[in-house]
Amino acid sequence: MKLLAATVFAMGMMLTAAVQADVALPPMANPQGSPEMFGTWTVTKVLCSQCKGRQPAEVGTEIILSGTAFTDPFSTTCASDVAYPNRALSSLEAVKLFKLPKGAQKLLPAGGTVTDTRLNCGGGPYARVLFLGGDKAIYLFESVDFLIERKAH
């Protein structure tokens, strides 16, 4: 019971620190998103420091984003009232804010920017994605991040 309480407390502290860091950065804008965010994205790699030897069942999972809806097997399917508030962050800001594992850090453009995006439905946030440019992004999910890549049309 004490271990559970300590874990919940530690997770709450991490969330509080992330929220405080998030508030200190520029606000999110452009809730309609942008065309480079839309399409079918597929999990191609699991990125986490404790994933060694883990069989990544998530590889192959598809996340579909459009201007009017999204399908996200890790959170929810949103058929209407979607929004994609986003902002540009430097790679360094993204590493600090999200405490990205080394595997994810290596994917960020050196000295460049990423687009920090929330997947909102009905006014509430359900997921977060860092768009890296081109057809690559990092889907932030609890303590495991996923490299997602957009399928060519």
Side-chain angles (χ1 to χ4, degrees), residues 63-142:
I63 299 165
I64 303 168
L65 307 178
S66 78
T68 58
F70 67 78
T71 301
D72 178 357
F74 300 114
S75 66
T76 192
T77 293
C78 187
S80 63
D81 197 19
V82 300
Y84 302 100
N86 62 85
R87 63 180 166 203
L89 293 179
S90 72
S91 293
L92 184 58
E93 287 171 324
V95 168
K96 287 181 180 177
L97 179 61
F98 300 111
K99 299 188 181 5
L100 297 173
K102 288 189 191 306
Q105 291 178 30
K106 290 178 185 176
L107 298 170
L108 301 178
T113 61
V114 298
T115 304
D116 172 24
T117 306
R118 287 191 180 111
L119 307 186
N120 286 6
C121 183
Y126 280 89
R128 201 134 185 192
V129 178
L130 297 177
F131 290 95
L132 309 178
D135 292 327
K136 294 188 185 294
I138 298 173
Y139 180 96
L140 305 171
F141 183 70
E142 298 174 1

